[in-house]
Amino acid sequence: MYKINDNYLKLPGSYLFSTIGKKVNAFATANPDKKIIRLGIGDVTLPLAPAVIDAFHKAVDEMAVKETFMGYAPDLGYEFLRSAIAKNDFEARGVKIDIDEIFVSDGAKSDSGNIGDIFSVDNKIAVCDPVYPVYVDTNAMAGRTGVFDAATERWTNVIYMPCTAETNFAPELPAETPDIIYLCFPNNPTGATINKDELQKWVDYANKVGAVIIYDAAYEAYISEDDVPHTIYECKDAKGCAIEIRSFSKNAGFTGTRLGYTVVPKELKCGDVSLNSLWARRHGTKFNGAPYITQRAGEAVYSPEGKKQTAEQVAYYMNNAKVIKNGLESAGYTVSGGVNAPYIWLKTPNNMTSWQFFDYLLEELNIVGTPGSGFGPSGEGYFRLTAFGTYENTLEAIERIKNA
């Protein structure tokens, strides 16, 4: 008889945002007259930039002509996109990344989960706490996290790095030595960042102990402060210990069209084995490439018009973040984030738990956010709001909170 992967049975409940979706849908069905403002999931609301849409249209037309029709994409992605990425995301910041170190995919979430395929199940991971749930859940599915302890809300074989107000919501080097370290800056969910010197300490540590860093830079376009690095490869010797994952979802609104990429430097080796070669093998075997039309649209993000238009979109969302942050502070909330990231991290009032505050916002103010405890035990007592809503809805939501 066949057997299932029983690691899935160890997962507590459903995926965080699926749980939120079910609760919100149930409330909306029971209260059809209520206007619900959704500031929970990190989904964009602005349409794709005109330069991107133009590229989509042109590529679609090419697919209708025999001479310009495109079938399967190259394993790593089309050279035109990888060259644009290397030039604009790295060379422009003084970092040399070869195009055969760039692997185009259908998004950072997929790569965050799939990257574990090239690592042994015996590796021990370290994660920030609170943390983007995909890092932990996908390692649990692979059998790398031990058993979930409901009492502590922790996995027995995971190193948790608490990110608290006392640490400015940034992790400290762990006392126990990990094999794989997950870092996300600007951080989801807290919006925290670290400067280049602080990130260099992580690179030096990883190289010293023989660990690999999985660096999620999905929100780098939102960085506004000069001393915050946009890529881990700005740090010395990072190519020998770090894999970087990027997304087109938040910087260019590709949440519905799906595009991202992962950088695996050729210098990154486990003994004599190149991780670049392993990921290339995995990528070529399990993935048929992002669509040609989407990759052409991604290329347009780096055009002069695309850069200008997507920067305006980022500014729009960061203005929303400012509205939320200032509004909550004026209402007496303790707030962080919202400066280099489109997320605002707030302390729940009146000793409410994260889910109690979720229910209060939904049922009394008809606002949807994300309970901090859904990101890990250190998130209890905190709450995340996103700046990805419309400006009008953002203003209305904050007015509801201030007038409550």
Side-chain angles (χ1 to χ4, degrees):
M1 182 176 178
Y2 66 86
K3 295 180 175 62
I4 62 168
N5 179 353
D6 59 6
N7 290 309
Y8 280 71
L9 304 180
K10 300 175 184 177
L11 292 167
S14 61
Y15 182 56
L16 170 63
F17 295 104
S18 298
T19 301
I20 291 172
K22 290 175 183 176
K23 289 175 74 77
V24 174
N25 289 338
F27 180 82
T29 300
N31 300 273
D33 59 320
K34 303 291 187 182
K35 178 186 175 182
I36 300 174
I37 298 178
R38 300 170 189 262
L39 301 179
I41 192 169
D43 195 3
V44 296
T45 51
L46 293 176
L48 293 167
V52 172
I53 290 296
D54 288 345
F56 264 121
H57 286 171
K58 182 180 178 182
V60 167
D61 289 340
E62 289 176 356
M63 297 295 277
V65 178
K66 182 178 180 180
E67 288 74 17
T68 53
F69 171 80
M70 305 295 287
Y72 290 126
D75 284 354
L76 274 66
Y78 286 99
E79 185 173 334
F80 61 76
L81 178 56
R82 290 183 289 125
S83 293
I85 289 169
K87 178 180 178 181
N88 292 277
D89 288 347
F90 298 101
E91 185 179 324
R93 300 196 178 279
V95 175
K96 186 180 186 308
I97 296 293
D98 294 334
I99 66 169
D100 58 354
E101 297 175 313
I102 298 168
F103 298 80
V104 176
S105 72
D106 60 352
K109 181 178 182 179
S110 299
D111 285 354
S112 295
N114 292 331
I115 196 68
D117 284 4
I118 66 173
F119 295 104
S120 166
V121 72
D122 297 329
N123 286 293
K124 191 159 191 173
I125 68 167
V127 297
C128 296
D129 173 28
V131 65
Y132 181 43
V134 170
Y135 308 151
V136 176
D137 287 359
T138 54
N139 275 285
M141 292 171 181
R144 202 175 281 121
T145 55
V147 177
F148 185 73
D149 183 345
T152 62
E153 297 186 336
R154 295 171 182 261
W155 293 88
T156 57
N157 199 40
V158 172
I159 299 170
Y160 289 88
M161 302 181 293
C163 301
T164 63
E166 290 70 31
T167 65
N168 294 316
F169 300 105
E172 297 179 331
L173 296 176
E176 183 181 357
T177 303
D179 301 300
I180 302 172
I181 303 167
Y182 285 83
L183 296 178
C184 174
F185 291 112
N187 185 259
N188 176 17
T190 68
T193 55
I194 57 177
N195 62 35
K196 184 177 178 180
D197 288 342
E198 291 168 332
L199 185 55
Q200 185 67 57
K201 292 177 183 177
W202 284 95
V203 170
D204 293 342
Y205 171 79
N207 279 316
K208 178 182 177 182
V209 302
V212 63
I213 296 172
I214 310 297
Y215 192 77
D216 186 343
Y219 299 93
E220 68 81 27
Y222 292 84
I223 294 171
S224 62
E225 296 177 324
D226 292 338
D227 63 342
V228 177
H230 287 254
T231 168
I232 195 170
Y233 302 120
E234 292 179 41
C235 295
K236 182 182 178 184
D237 298 327
K239 289 184 184 180
C241 69
I243 293 170
E244 183 164 302
I245 298 173
R246 294 281 195 108
S247 170
F248 283 76
S249 288
K250 307 304 161 64
N251 66 323
F254 278 54
T255 54
T257 47
R258 309 309 305 146
L259 190 65
Y261 67 89
T262 289
V263 177
V264 186
K266 284 172 284 191
E267 291 122 284
L268 183 54
K269 295 183 178 181
C270 180
D272 295 328
V273 178
S274 164
L275 269 63
N276 179 281
S277 297
L278 292 182
W279 186 240
R281 186 68 171 87
R282 190 266 173 210
H283 210 61
T285 300
K286 287 191 172 185
F287 185 62
N288 263 341
Y292 170 74
I293 58 174
T294 308
Q295 293 197 47
R296 277 297 186 193
E299 179 190 29
V301 171
Y302 298 106
S303 68
E305 298 83 3
K307 288 180 180 179
K308 179 177 181 295
Q309 293 161 4
T310 54
E312 289 171 351
Q313 293 183 339
V314 168
Y316 175 93
Y317 294 129
M318 288 310 293
N319 184 58
N320 285 351
K322 183 178 180 180
V323 168
I324 297 172
K325 188 173 190 293
N326 291 346
L328 289 174
E329 288 176 340
S330 71
Y333 285 82
T334 300
V335 186
S336 60
V339 176
N340 295 292
Y343 294 123
I344 291 80
W345 189 243
L346 61 128
K347 188 170 179 58
T348 58
N350 304 320
N351 294 317
M352 286 186 183
T353 68
S354 298
W355 279 105
Q356 285 173 341
F357 189 61
F358 173 90
D359 291 336
Y360 164 74
L361 285 184
L362 177 61
E363 296 168 8
E364 302 298 326
L365 305 183
N366 311 143
I367 298 169
V368 180
T370 309
S373 59
F375 298 102
S378 291
E380 180 55 82
Y382 287 89
F383 204 79
R384 192 193 77 174
L385 291 176
T386 171
F388 286 123
T390 66
Y391 175 67
E392 294 76 15
N393 279 347
T394 300
L395 277 179
E396 184 176 344
I398 293 306
E399 286 305 310
R400 291 182 189 178
I401 292 173
K402 289 168 67 174
N403 295 329

